[in-house]
Amino acid sequence: MENLDDLIDFKTGRQKRLIYSDAEIYDQEMEKIFGRSWLFLAHECQLEKPGDFIRTYMGEDEVLVVRQKDNGLKAFLNTCTHRGNRLCKADHGNSKSFVCNYHGWSFSYNGELTGVPLEEAAYQNNLDKSKFGMIEVAQIASYKGLIFATFDEKAPSLEEYLGDMKWYLDVWLDAMPEGTELIGTAMKVELPVNWKLAVENVSGDGYHLGWAHAGAMTVTAESDIAGLSVGNSDVDNESAISVAGMNGHTVLAALDGKSGYAFYNEYQMAWDYLDQNRATAVERLGEIRGEKMWGSQINFTVFPNLQFLPGLNWFRIYHPKGPGKFEMWTWAMVDKRMSDDLKEMILNNVSRTFGPAGMFDNDDGDNLQAATEQSRGWRTSQMDIYTNMAMGNEHSREGMPGVISEGLVCEQNQRYVYRRWLEMMKADSWSDIPFYNNLEEARATEDK
Ligand code: FES
Ligand SMILES: [Fe+2]
């Protein structure tokens, strides 16, 4: 295994390409990052009644998330404790039990092993069923509608893990009293791309918008407002910020209060909704978030693999499938209080922009696939790539958490994503992983 410090240099914004292709590094990621982080499982709206379940992944481990009789939530590995078969094949549904296809063991939806065929004849009643229940995750918790879990019982609480990122997340999750919901079904796409390239792209890469997406933006952007010129000319603009330095979580945000809906044919319908509900957002979130951020184009990244964009309204999780592949699941997420017409317009637009045939996603998929392929050769894997744009511009801003740089064309966020990656890869346990939520703390914990 390579020396981990050679792989990432936070101070110069350098990454070794090996991290996008090496199988050993990937295995370490599964253990040190996906085995310990809080990972997104489901939205509360997908699990309303007891017995409602979703099949998803934590890293490469398949899990079943199940609403319990007492309305609590449990998540189990989706594997039979007898001979390891997959327990449930359905993506989602409602069931009071999970019965294995192989020899017929059945488990209650609370995880207990309840039925074993031929228990008396074959096991002579010697099988202690209480020892063969489904295996639960170590911790499960929700934050304003989003359900997360971790395999690490020593992981900090979800609240602490999210840290000051919660202040930004609330711009979407808590702007309206009814909260949010996912609509439509998950659009599932497999891409031959290393998972980190996709995450860092949405996390901080405003640079590619005006170039890689020039065609898509021309076709989809019906309105003409400031937030759209983020591509090339407004590097120093005050109208948008990159925010990082919050335990690996990042935000890209325009600050105009309406550019999020600029890529819609019927943007006026969305802008009317914003006008009608602006006062509520300001009352709940205050001036900066309610006035400037709610309705703006925003990219949220919850480290390591959850991203969602209010305004464009897509919500996405990446499930790694080896160093050169991932599966991404995309939903449309909306405020519950939106009208059915507006929700339908948003759902259609998510398909048009970031669905399997979405114009923006195809631009990104092509570039990221090629970058993955160009990092796996014997020679190219020894090369470096860089996120060294706008170094030294980081500052604090009154009333806003995190480390902030001006504009969306800035590689600050990617640097902090890779810094977190390295911190987790190097740490033996959570007690070795630093926590920081602003510039001062980020500087104080650098290299520790
Ligand atoms: S593997 Fe599930 S019952 Fe045997
Ligand atoms: Fe993109």
Side-chain angles (χ1 to χ4, degrees), residues 334-351:
V334 295
D335 292 349
K336 271 191 194 160
R337 73 158 54 177
M338 286 173 166
S339 69
D340 289 345
D341 284 351
L342 181 53
K343 287 177 184 174
E344 192 186 332
M345 195 267 280
I346 286 171
L347 183 58
N348 288 337
N349 201 65
V350 170
S351 306

Side-chain angles (χ1 to χ4, degrees), residues 308-320:
F308 45 106
L309 274 63
L312 279 164
N313 288 68
W314 62 256
F315 185 96
R316 174 174 288 173
I317 178 98
Y318 305 88
H319 299 302

Side-chain angles (χ1 to χ4, degrees), residues 61-285:
D61 285 300
E62 235 176 270
V63 291
L64 290 175
V65 196
V66 193
R67 179 70 73 185
Q68 298 296 299
K69 201 172 176 182
D70 64 0
N71 217 33
L73 288 159
K74 288 188 180 206
F76 310 98
L77 290 171
N78 184 23
T79 184
C80 181
T81 51
H82 176 227
R83 300 293 302 149
N85 189 25
R86 171 179 285 111
L87 259 185
C88 175
K89 296 180 178 177
D91 291 340
H92 56 88
N94 181 283
S95 181
K96 293 287 153 45
S97 61
F98 300 102
V99 183
C100 180
N101 258 3
Y102 200 174
H103 312 93
W105 283 23
S106 61
F107 299 81
S108 159
Y109 71 122
N110 69 7
E112 287 169 13
L113 174 60
T114 48
V116 173
L118 307 177
E119 188 175 356
E120 191 178 342
Y123 284 99
Q124 290 83 48
N125 273 335
N126 280 336
L127 185 75
D128 181 354
K129 294 208 288 296
S130 70
K131 293 204 165 69
F132 292 91
M134 291 160 74
I135 300 302
E136 278 189 60
V137 299
Q139 301 185 59
I140 184 165
S142 295
Y143 183 74
K144 298 191 180 174
L146 309 189
I147 305 162
F148 295 80
T150 172
F151 285 127
D152 192 342
E153 61 190 20
K154 298 223 170 66
S157 69
L158 176 61
E159 293 267 334
E160 199 183 341
Y161 180 84
L162 294 174
D164 281 358
M165 180 65 174
K166 298 196 292 292
W167 189 86
Y168 291 102
L169 294 178
D170 288 356
V171 171
W172 199 3
L173 301 180
D174 208 21
M176 293 297 120
E178 304 84 356
T180 59
E181 63 182 350
L182 301 181
I183 55 172
T185 52
M187 296 182 273
K188 300 183 176 179
V189 174
E190 196 176 271
L191 278 178
V193 172
N194 181 274
W195 68 274
K196 296 184 291 301
L197 287 167
V199 170
E200 61 139 287
N201 171 270
V202 175
S203 154
D205 196 325
Y207 194 24
H208 80 291
L209 298 180
W211 181 257
H213 296 310
M217 282 176 51
T218 307
V219 174
T220 55
E222 300 276 327
S223 64
D224 179 23
I225 57 172
L228 286 181
S229 56
V230 292
N232 289 323
S233 56
D234 288 347
V235 174
D236 298 321
N237 71 47
E238 274 280 342
S239 61
I241 47 173
S242 298
V243 192
M246 298 175 291
N247 306 327
H249 315 308
T250 64
V251 183
L252 281 182
L255 300 171
D256 50 56
K258 61 180 187 175
S259 56
Y261 293 89
F263 300 98
Y264 286 73
N265 290 122
E266 297 169 79
Y267 58 90
Q268 194 58 49
M269 198 197 304
W271 286 359
D272 289 345
Y273 170 79
L274 295 177
D275 287 343
Q276 285 152 15
N277 294 282
R278 179 73 63 190
T280 308
V282 173
E283 189 187 322
R284 294 173 67 80
L285 302 170

